[in-house]
Amino acid sequence: MEPFTTLTSRTVVLAATNIDTDQIIPARFLTTTTRAGLGKHLFADWRYDERGAPRPDFVLNRSESAGCRILVAGRNFGCGSSREHAPWALLDHGFRAVVSTGIADIFRSNSLKNGLLPVIVDEATSGWLLAHPGAELTVDLASGTLSLPGGARVSFPIEAFARHCLLNGVDELGYLLSRSSEIEAYERRA
Amino acid sequence: MAAETAATPAVLHVDLHLIHEVTSPQAFALLRERGLSVRRPDLTLATMDHSTPTRTAQVFGGAPITIESAARQIRELEANCAQFGVELLGLTSEQRGIVHVIGPELGLTQPGKTIVCGDSHTSTHGAMGALAFGIGTTEVAHVLATQCLLQRKPRTLAVEVDGTLQAGVTAKDLILAIIGRLGVAGGTGHVIEYRGATIRALDMDERMTVCNRSIEAGARAGMIAPDDITYAYLATRPRAPKGAAWERALAGWRSLPTDPDARFDRKLHLTAGTIEPMITWGTNPGMVVPVTGTIPLAGPDAAFARAVGYMGLEPGAPIRGQPVNVVFIGSCTNARLSDLRSAARVLRGRRIARGLTMLVVPGSQQVKRQAEAEGLDRVFLEAGAEWRESGCSMCLGMNGDTVPRGEYAVSTSNRNFEGRQGVGARTLLASPLTAAASAVRGRVTDPRELL
Ligand code: SF4
């Protein structure tokens, strides 16, 4: 995994609340057996019309969204299914952070394991971000802060171990494997 | 296995890991990349459900599977299980079925176990007093390789229900009402314990229906304390402990229920007697009304307008009488034997409305056989419904069983998200009674009119 330290990018805004993982990537694209190449199916049913042509009014299809790495969304982003294909698709498209007032548990956990940073902010910050698409933000993971264009900084919560893994680009599997002898001892007792 | 600290989450040892064809291939790939093996194949069980066909000719007759990528996924699971030594209940196995139906049915789901699966409805297993929750594919790899997961302790939410459910009101209606009250994010960060006299009175199938949908309120897990109903259910199951092992297990299980004076981070109380048959009108499970009610006139945010637009419904109109094109009886929420009996109770001696398509998809091959032994298949076929092999089917439409664009489906499954049952499909979630009654009339129907 690529380390995540700081990220500066303009935002793409999807103001809808409760964006579920079926919207992020519909089930018909889950018959894949690899992680790669899911970006083209990201938000497929919002992004393309019935004939598969891009809908010009959908934000990801507009030129100003190109190169944006921060997605700002309405509350309870990523609810529903546990499909890790959702963060894979967001990452493959180029996103590295999602900002919302609430992010669903399984999606948040899946995102952290893949280097997609879930940033949970208060209502006021979220309200401002939703109203200002394209704002340039800086996310600093080490200090757990998000900087807004005027210089204002808000902090966001992040679980200590997940932060450590992201900052260093290491994954949890290595840590779990390093505890094999304890796992073995536990299994002998059980 | 190890408690959490400020710097590190707890290391949680997993007692049962269930896997299926859709969320496991990339996990096995990770093991291969790192040269790792499956640490405890004996605690791992694989089945096929999500993208598997439900047509008998495709399951047993060797007919080609319609979707080539789905067929590939099935073959890949077979190959992975063979290579890593994991038991697979394959396509033609008599014990195959939806992962959350077969765990309890086989007696593998037991009180006090930690159970995970790469599927959000793993919360179902909490009905047996297990701590069970859905994980992503990377975590599937963690469990395959180490039998452990890193977890922080969740907050607790008690949902207490008292009183008696009215006739025609089922566990599905109860959980729809609970989700309506909590909202789709109300349980985020929490594990729910369902308590109270109403919950105690539910049978195991009904308890599973309730716990299944905890995730629809945002809670990763939902549980019910084990009791004599739980033990009676487990006693006859093929993979439950037997003899002296059963006695030992039982003694352990009896110590599990929450202390009477336990404190919860939050509480919600409901009175069962006021709950009516419920049905969703919108595009998330929290958008729900009594079947006798009307579509709301307004919502808290822009999601309301989007939902009525997608659903093609009129704010303020009654939901009852809404024309229906498709009825689906199935999914890990409502495809156990008692659910099929419940639908058959309405359909016996009746026919589904002309032009309506109805699919009945049992939750497992065992459920299918039991239903056939009772003649339920005849009831469905004579009513004009299709009777299929088990699987997730139209719950998420991965295997080609989909609701056509723009059509209305009353479904016993658990999600009504945009496009969940097919691109442009409009889903109304309800109980098997309401779904069957709506199939007969071709319109959303209060099942109490047909009981
Ligand atoms: S029946 Fe539906 S909800 Fe249940 S496991 Fe299958 S796809 Fe998921």
Side-chain angles (χ1 to χ4, degrees):
Chain A
M1 198 166 61
E2 230 179 287
F4 189 120
T5 49
T6 64
L7 170 70
T8 299
S9 168
R10 282 178 301 111
T11 63
V12 168
V13 169
L14 279 175
T17 54
N18 302 314
I19 295 177
D20 57 79
T21 51
D22 277 80
Q23 306 319 311
I24 300 172
I25 182 148
R28 63 184 183 281
F29 302 114
L30 308 188
T31 53
T32 173
T33 54
T34 64
R35 296 164 185 244
L38 289 168
K40 59 180 178 291
H41 305 306
L42 179 67
F43 295 111
D45 292 338
W46 292 355
R47 206 158 137 207
Y48 308 109
D49 67 14
E50 290 162 38
R51 296 181 316 281
R55 296 178 201 268
D57 55 336
F58 184 64
V59 61
L60 286 190
N61 294 328
R62 292 207 294 263
S63 56
E64 69 267 25
S65 299
C68 292
R69 314 196 77 190
I70 302 178
L71 179 67
V72 173
R75 90 181 113 76
N76 195 29
F77 185 81
C79 59
S81 142
S82 64
R83 60 190 71 167
E84 201 159 313
H85 310 69
W88 294 338
L90 285 158
L91 282 160
D92 191 49
H93 182 83
F95 289 115
R96 289 299 309 270
V98 178
V99 186
S100 173
T101 53
I103 295 182
D105 290 339
I106 305 180
F107 176 85
R108 186 168 43 83
S109 157
N110 286 341
S111 297
L112 288 166
K113 290 179 179 58
N114 289 277
L116 178 72
L117 186 69
V119 179
I120 297 180
V121 294
D122 58 89
E123 289 285 344
T125 306
S126 168
W128 189 90
L129 291 172
L130 291 170
H132 294 83
E136 187 166 280
L137 310 180
T138 296
V139 182
D140 178 35
L141 179 58
S143 62
T145 53
L146 179 72
S147 307
L148 277 60
R153 281 153 63 105
V154 290
S155 58
F156 59 87
I158 173 106
E159 196 276 317
F161 189 71
R163 169 161 56 195
H164 162 82
C165 290
L166 284 169
L167 284 170
N168 296 292
V170 298
D171 67 18
E172 292 178 358
L173 181 54
Y175 174 76
L176 280 168
L177 288 167
S178 76
R179 303 193 60 168
S180 313
S181 56
E182 283 167 85
I183 297 173
E184 217 156 279
Y186 173 85
E187 287 179 337
R188 265 199 309 273
R189 284 198 308 277
Chain B
M1 191 211 78
E4 67 178 34
T5 67
T8 53
V11 182
L12 182 71
H13 192 267
V14 170
D15 297 317
L16 174 64
H17 185 198
L18 300 165
I19 61 175
H20 62 84
E21 75 279 24
V22 174
T23 57
S24 68
Q26 296 87 349
F28 282 111
L30 190 65
L31 296 196
R32 259 187 224 104
E33 264 167 45
R34 307 242 183 143
L36 297 166
S37 54
V38 174
R39 181 178 178 86
R40 295 293 301 268
D42 58 318
L43 301 181
T44 314
L45 179 69
T47 191
M48 297 172 172
D49 50 5
H50 281 68
S51 62
T52 59
T54 54
R55 293 187 186 278
T56 305
Q58 295 181 334
V59 175
F60 292 106
I65 292 173
T66 328
I67 300 174
E68 171 44 34
S69 53
R72 207 178 320 122
Q73 225 167 27
I74 288 169
R75 287 195 302 272
E76 187 148 335
L77 183 62
E78 290 168 346
N80 284 331
C81 289
Q83 185 190 336
F84 288 92
V86 171
E87 184 188 0
L88 169 66
L89 302 175
L91 201 53
T92 57
S93 163
E94 295 203 331
Q95 295 185 331
R96 188 183 63 80
I98 303 174
V99 62
H100 312 308
V101 176
I102 64 168
E105 182 179 78
L106 293 171
L108 283 171
T109 300
Q110 294 162 19
K113 274 193 179 180
T114 50
I115 302 178
V116 298
C117 170
D119 188 281
S120 62
H121 291 99
T122 308
S123 58
T124 312
H125 306 260
M128 230 110 341
L131 174 62
F133 54 90
I135 57 178
T137 296
T138 301
E139 287 183 318
V140 170
H142 292 176
V143 180
L144 288 173
T146 68
Q147 203 57 29
C148 289
L149 269 183
L150 294 175
Q151 284 293 309
R152 291 263 173 206
K153 206 169 177 181
R155 293 191 291 277
T156 55
L157 166 60
V159 172
E160 182 127 10
V161 194
D162 285 312
T164 311
L165 292 169
Q166 301 172 40
V169 179
T170 67
K172 179 63 161 293
D173 303 300
L174 170 61
I175 187 63
L176 280 167
I178 292 171
I179 297 164
R181 282 279 296 278
L182 280 173
V184 290
T188 304
H190 293 77
V191 168
I192 300 178
E193 180 178 342
Y194 301 95
R195 308 154 58 89
T198 316
I199 302 292
R200 298 257 68 84
L202 298 177
D203 68 25
M204 288 315 297
D205 284 6
E206 295 170 319
R207 292 180 187 186
M208 286 186 247
T209 299
V210 170
C211 289
N212 173 268
R213 307 192 78 249
S214 305
I215 185 68
E216 255 54 71
R220 259 179 117 159
M223 26 195 348
I224 294 175
D227 58 13
D228 289 341
I229 295 175
T230 319
Y231 312 140
Y233 175 96
L234 279 170
T236 57
R237 304 283 149 179
R239 301 199 191 186
K242 299 274 177 275
W246 169 265
E247 293 305 327
R248 271 200 309 279
L250 194 59
W253 297 342
R254 289 196 195 279
S255 72
L256 290 170
T258 311
D259 302 335
D261 58 349
R263 295 166 63 100
F264 291 86
D265 296 310
R266 278 172 63 206
K267 277 192 174 182
L268 174 75
H269 186 265
L270 275 86
T271 307
T274 59
I275 297 170
E276 292 198 76
M278 303 293 284
I279 189 160
T280 64
W281 59 267
T283 53
N284 75 45
M287 294 171 161
V288 63
V289 290
V291 71
T292 54
T294 53
I295 295 150
L297 283 166
D301 54 48
F304 173 80
R306 185 176 173 99
V308 286
Y310 179 86
M311 293 298 289
L313 297 172
E314 202 187 312
I319 190 81
R320 200 165 137 259
Q322 164 63 39
V324 175
N325 313 97
V326 178
V327 166
F328 173 58
I329 308 274
S331 91
C332 57
T333 313
N334 280 127
R336 285 170 286 268
L337 187 60
S338 57
D339 300 311
L340 302 186
R341 284 183 184 147
S342 168
R345 188 174 151 213
V346 174
L347 288 171
R348 193 165 276 118
R350 294 191 171 111
R351 282 198 61 83
I352 62 171
R354 189 170 315 176
L356 183 133
T357 306
M358 180 171 183
L359 223 62
V360 185
V361 183
S364 72
Q365 295 305 96
Q366 290 200 57
V367 168
K368 180 164 193 264
R369 265 196 317 282
Q370 290 160 352
E372 287 171 350
E374 292 183 12
L376 301 183
D377 57 325
R378 299 309 318 164
V379 176
F380 297 128
L381 290 166
E382 280 160 20
E386 292 182 46
W387 175 245
R388 297 284 186 88
E389 303 299 329
S390 68
C392 298
S393 179
M394 215 177 244
C395 174
L396 90 168
M398 271 191 79
N399 69 341
D401 296 342
T402 53
V403 175
R405 186 185 288 275
E407 293 200 353
Y408 291 91
V410 176
S411 175
T412 66
S413 56
N414 43 49
R415 288 189 173 139
N416 53 348
F417 298 149
E418 287 181 28
R420 171 77 178 184
Q421 295 192 286
V423 183
R426 293 158 161 170
T427 302
L428 296 90
L429 302 173
S431 73
L433 285 178
T434 303
S438 302
V440 170
R441 296 261 173 93
R443 292 171 179 278
V444 171
T445 300
D446 185 335
R448 295 171 293 192
E449 295 167 24
L450 294 184
L451 290 176

